[in-house]
Amino acid sequence: MRPPRTLRLRLLPAVATVLLLATACGGEHAGGDLGGDGVGAASPASRTPVTAPPVDGVRITAVTLPATTPTPRPGASDWTVHADRPADDSGVSAAYEVTNDGKEALTYTVLFDFTTSAGEVMGNQWVTVRDVRAGRTVRGTVELGVLAPGASPVTTVKVAEVLKVPAAEAPARAGVCPASGIRVTADDGDAAMSLRVVGLRLENCGEKDYPLDGYPLLTLLDEDRAPVEGVRILHGGDSIATGTGYDDPPRAFTLKPGQSAVSGLVWRNTADAGTDPVNVPYVRIRARSGAAPVMIAPRLDLGTTGRLGVGAWKPAGR
């Protein structure tokens, strides 16, 4: 297993979030409104090619910045020249490509940072690119969107983080029901001091009743998606902290088509000096014994606690 690295928690709020979904084939584009060169609609802006190396198979190929016009307006103490820009920064975008050099189809979730010339992150976007087959490349465009008035101008776009799971185990997109008839997803999580909570949701989107009785079955995985040893998986959120909403004991119930159940992952990220913290990027979930696996990326920063709590399934809304 690779040495653990410090991971940016998805629990932290982003300025904006977007999902661009694609079915991957060689040379195809991710996103819905791309032109033949993979860069989207034309804009009176400056498009600059980028030659930076890829990050885990994801590479930015060009950055487009809105046109600016120098106009005099008051500075702090005298009249200086500033570069005006569009009020909403909608002209800032980056063309990217995702290349799968592995041996199986993968679904990528990529965090793009939009930064100033000084490196300050002014906004970020999550992009999901689905079903990139082995040996294929998918191209797309990510846009910044609206920034707060007076925000510093963006000059650079970077690949900040790449998460990738087997396409066959990726959570189904909204509105799509897997062949199993069960859709399992995770929320973005919540953090308070050292406590972390990520909610799990199971929806019966099929046509048959789905009985549940117990806890989700979990396998913790490192960045190579190999099993992580030495972490105890404890039943009940109260095994870590009370009041998380996932303290109830298990009970048998049946989900009718259209109904949902919830559970949750609970942990602390406290760490003892002199001991390496444990980070777990991926978790493989089975709703019950024999169920099809779904892999999520909650990026568990377990510190040196060595413990993860999981709540029993319960009907949603209870």
Side-chain angles (χ1 to χ4, degrees), residues 27-311:
E28 288 193 357
H29 302 298
D33 298 313
L34 299 180
D37 61 357
V39 195
S43 170
S46 171
R47 183 173 187 268
T48 305
V50 177
T51 58
V55 177
D56 288 343
V58 181
R59 185 171 72 90
I60 294 175
T61 58
V63 173
T64 300
L65 302 176
T68 59
T69 304
T71 57
R73 53 189 174 89
S77 58
D78 56 3
W79 285 83
T80 57
V81 175
H82 301 268
D84 286 343
R85 58 180 180 156
D88 62 0
D89 268 313
S90 58
V92 180
S93 65
Y96 65 85
E97 62 183 27
V98 178
T99 300
N100 182 359
D101 291 327
K103 297 181 180 179
E104 62 178 336
L106 297 172
T107 287
Y108 291 73
T109 302
V110 186
L111 178 65
F112 293 94
D113 279 351
F114 293 78
T115 70
T116 66
S117 57
E120 180 183 4
V121 178
M122 302 306 299
N124 46 39
Q125 300 282 15
W126 285 99
V127 173
T128 296
V129 184
R130 296 183 179 271
D131 304 328
V132 183
R133 289 182 287 173
R136 298 301 182 96
T137 295
V138 170
R139 298 178 179 87
T141 301
V142 57
E143 297 181 351
L144 172 58
V146 178
L147 285 181
S152 301
V154 169
T155 62
T156 307
V157 185
K158 298 179 179 179
V159 177
E161 186 172 357
V162 178
L163 301 167
K164 47 191 178 183
V165 303
E169 297 183 29
R173 71 186 72 185
V176 175
C177 189
S180 65
I182 296 299
R183 183 189 296 115
V184 177
T185 56
D187 64 24
D188 288 343
D190 193 15
M193 301 298 288
S194 65
L195 182 64
R196 311 287 198 241
V197 180
V198 168
L200 306 178
R201 189 175 189 89
L202 184 158
E203 179 187 354
N204 182 355
C205 55
E207 300 178 352
K208 300 180 180 179
D209 290 354
Y210 195 80
L212 288 169
D213 183 9
Y215 299 85
L217 306 178
L218 309 179
T219 303
L220 308 187
L221 305 170
D222 65 16
E223 23 179 66
D224 295 320
R225 300 183 296 283
V228 173
E229 305 294 339
V231 176
R232 290 185 295 160
I233 298 176
L234 307 175
H235 285 168
D238 54 357
S239 63
I240 305 297
T242 58
T244 62
Y246 302 113
D247 304 341
D248 297 340
R251 67 178 183 85
F253 63 98
T254 298
L255 288 181
K256 299 292 185 181
Q259 294 182 333
S260 297
V262 294
S263 175
L265 307 179
V266 183
W267 73 98
R268 291 190 182 276
N269 74 334
T270 53
D272 296 326
T275 305
D276 291 335
V278 175
N279 293 307
V280 178
Y282 305 105
V283 178
R284 178 179 282 124
I285 300 174
R286 284 183 166 83
R288 65 185 188 187
S289 179
V294 175
M295 193 180 299
I296 64 172
R299 291 163 298 161
L300 309 176
D301 58 335
L302 298 174
T304 57
T305 63
R307 304 194 311 159
L308 172 68
V310 57

